[in-house]
Amino acid sequence: MKGRARGARGVAAVVSSGALLVASGCGTTDDGEVELVIETFGTFGYEELLKEFEEDTGIAVEERVYGEVEDWNDQLTQNLAADDGLGDVVAIEEGILLDVMQTSDSFHDLNEYGAGDMEDSFLDWKWEMGHTPDGKLLGLGTDIGGMGICYRADLYEEAGLSTDREELSSQWETWDDFIEVGKEFEESDVDASFADTTSEFSNAIMRQSGDVMFFNKDDELIIEESEAVERAWDISGQMIENDLTAELEMWSDDWTAAIQEGAFATMPCPAWMLGQIEENAGEDNAGKWDVAEVPGNGGNWGGSWLGVPTQTEHPEEAAQLAQFLTSPEGHQGAWEARNNLPSSPETLESDAVQNHTNEYFSDAPVGEIYAEGALELEPVYFGLNHFPVQQATNAEALLSWEQGNADRDEAWAQAVEEAERIAE
């Protein structure tokens, strides 16, 4: 193995795009003007959009950005339980959406603020998933997660592999093909690993392998019968047995440092990951990354909704902000800023998306790579407790095998035991 790095997970980082307004939730100035707080994670690409909203409405907005989705999911869950501490608009990631629906009384029905007229602005499934079973509109869709593969072209060239995105796409039409490319890379003298970690690849493969993963549509745990989980562990096992990864914990400080240092060359790349790589790798690595098609049959990984908690003192203004950010214009702004793939069909079909190239990623035609076929993407059913089960299995148990702390049987036993404990 090359470029090995291990370490502690990153600490939740809270970064404000503007001046801190209040300790939690929304506020009102001494002059009686409304001030809003929106809470997100990762890279939603809202910086310029929020400035535009402020100029158009005169309403000040602070964006609180939590480091990664795991950090934010924990904070969101805690503040919902405490009925205190949430912003006026909050992001709800797909892996926790059904869990949040269990506390739907903690959110305003956005139908009451005119958002019901926005149905045609969203892909049908994205619109439906924002509703509770009794018809309450809890969240408005932000992005979806069409998939690709991001790779360091300079490291591929050093390894004697093709650097052409179309040629690589044809070389790894299947995951078995992908493993073979990884073996060629590892046999070279490049001082870097082929891939970062199996955690990401297992998540990507599961989402391609069927319409359910850890839970069936009756919310029953099916980890031991799931073809999607079995397929993901089989491919991940080939990566481990052929020493293809840097054994990194995804989202850890070491993972971020490895992106900056070029300690690995390949990672699965849903559209939202482009912004993550650019932010973590920095300007020094501009033009070194490129994007190819993902092995297998495409797939949908990631995406969120915006909801308005009942904790807000200004639901009308908060709903106005959520509607602005999820309008076709809002989707286009987030795409242009961070290439977050729109859930708006109008925006997906626009020239601004279809013809978009990304200079940081060697001018890759990311609009063509991600938007083509996005209208046909379908969601995978997650079930309650999906996110903690995914973390305990595809992250922790699989990583223990990858890092040599357990063999396959021990790691699988750990995964099943933890999943059963969480699902109880």
Side-chain angles (χ1 to χ4, degrees):
M1 186 204 71
K2 309 172 211 174
R4 176 173 298 186
R6 302 176 184 171
R9 258 185 29 75
V11 177
V14 182
V15 181
S16 170
S17 64
L20 186 64
L21 301 175
V22 286
S24 64
C26 62
T28 305
T29 69
D30 293 339
D31 297 331
E33 296 180 352
V34 174
E35 297 175 329
L36 299 176
V37 171
I38 178 171
E39 294 180 306
T40 64
F41 58 90
T43 52
F44 272 65
Y46 285 163
E47 293 84 355
E48 295 303 318
L49 287 167
L50 293 180
K51 291 177 184 176
E52 183 180 340
F53 180 82
E54 290 179 325
E55 291 173 0
D56 289 347
T57 65
I59 299 173
V61 183
E62 175 199 355
E63 183 181 20
R64 295 180 188 160
V65 183
Y66 289 73
E68 305 303 341
V69 63
E70 184 178 359
D71 306 320
W72 168 235
N73 282 352
D74 289 345
Q75 192 69 53
L76 174 61
T77 302
Q78 292 170 16
N79 289 353
L80 280 172
D83 195 23
D84 187 38
L86 286 177
D88 306 277
V89 179
V90 297
I92 306 166
E93 196 265 345
E94 63 170 6
I96 200 173
L97 178 64
L98 288 180
D99 299 87
V100 170
M101 290 284 185
Q102 306 307 302
T103 62
S104 61
D105 289 345
S106 298
F107 287 85
H108 284 282
D109 183 353
L110 296 175
N111 283 311
E112 297 177 0
Y113 298 94
D117 295 336
M118 297 179 68
E119 180 174 359
D120 291 342
S121 296
F122 299 93
L123 296 170
D124 290 344
W125 61 267
K126 191 77 175 184
W127 174 254
E128 291 301 323
M129 287 180 68
H131 288 75
T132 63
D134 60 358
K136 183 175 181 177
L137 181 54
L138 187 145
L140 296 171
T142 60
D143 60 321
I144 56 178
M147 286 195 278
I149 292 286
C150 289
Y151 63 98
R152 281 279 300 257
D154 58 328
L155 297 180
Y156 272 50
E157 182 176 18
E158 190 178 342
L161 298 174
S162 172
T163 62
D164 182 82
R165 63 180 76 95
E166 293 183 2
E167 189 172 342
L168 285 170
S169 299
S170 65
Q171 285 182 2
W172 57 43
E173 290 184 354
T174 69
W175 286 106
D176 290 333
D177 297 334
F178 182 78
I179 296 294
E180 294 304 315
V181 174
K183 290 179 182 177
E184 286 188 52
F185 185 96
E186 286 295 330
E187 289 169 358
S188 74
D189 294 327
V190 178
D191 186 21
S193 293
F194 175 61
D196 54 347
T197 171
T198 59
S199 298
E200 291 181 281
F201 285 94
S202 59
N203 288 336
I205 295 164
M206 279 203 321
R207 283 160 171 77
Q208 293 181 317
S209 301
D211 59 353
V212 296
M213 294 184 284
F214 297 112
F215 296 90
N216 63 22
K217 294 182 180 178
D218 293 322
D219 286 328
E220 297 168 333
L221 183 69
I222 56 168
I223 184 172
E224 293 188 277
E225 299 84 37
S226 171
E227 293 180 3
V229 175
E230 181 180 10
R231 174 70 172 158
W233 273 63
D234 283 348
I235 298 296
S236 298
Q238 291 185 53
M239 296 182 71
I240 293 170
E241 290 163 357
N242 287 287
D243 211 10
L244 301 188
T245 81
E247 304 178 7
L248 293 160
E249 182 180 358
M250 193 174 177
W251 309 121
S252 67
D253 293 340
D254 285 340
W255 181 79
T256 301
I259 294 176
Q260 295 170 343
E261 296 165 0
F264 62 86
T266 318
M267 57 192 298
C269 213
W272 49 264
M273 188 67 85
L274 298 174
Q276 294 278 345
I277 292 174
E278 183 174 350
E279 182 164 304
N280 289 330
E283 284 304 312
D284 289 346
N285 289 305
K288 295 179 180 177
W289 286 89
D290 207 325
V291 188
E293 295 179 8
V294 68
N297 300 316
N300 183 32
W301 177 10
S304 298
W305 288 257
L306 296 181
V308 176
T310 54
Q311 294 179 29
T312 179
E313 296 175 5
H314 302 290
E316 183 173 350
E317 291 82 357
Q320 183 182 2
L321 175 59
Q323 291 177 61
F324 169 72
L325 294 172
T326 57
S327 67
E329 294 77 14
H331 280 289
Q332 182 172 326
W335 165 260
E336 291 174 347
R338 291 295 187 178
N339 287 160
N340 291 323
L341 194 62
S343 59
S344 157
E346 175 183 334
T347 314
L348 276 172
E349 294 178 308
S350 69
D351 289 342
V353 172
Q354 294 280 342
N355 299 328
H356 187 80
T357 59
N358 189 315
E359 182 178 1
Y360 189 90
F361 287 83
S362 308
D363 291 320
V366 294
E368 178 183 335
I369 292 171
Y370 288 104
E372 186 175 342
L375 292 171
E376 282 74 46
L377 288 177
E378 293 290 340
V380 178
Y381 184 78
F382 288 153
L384 295 173
N385 293 311
H386 167 86
F387 190 78
V389 168
Q390 176 183 284
Q391 291 301 105
T393 56
N394 285 10
E396 296 169 13
L398 197 52
L399 188 63
S400 69
W401 176 20
E402 186 175 346
Q403 293 183 340
N405 299 319
D407 61 25
R408 175 166 184 154
D409 290 342
E410 292 169 337
W412 178 247
Q414 176 187 338
V416 173
E417 181 178 354
E418 283 299 299
E420 290 176 342
R421 181 187 62 77
I422 293 168
E424 283 183 356

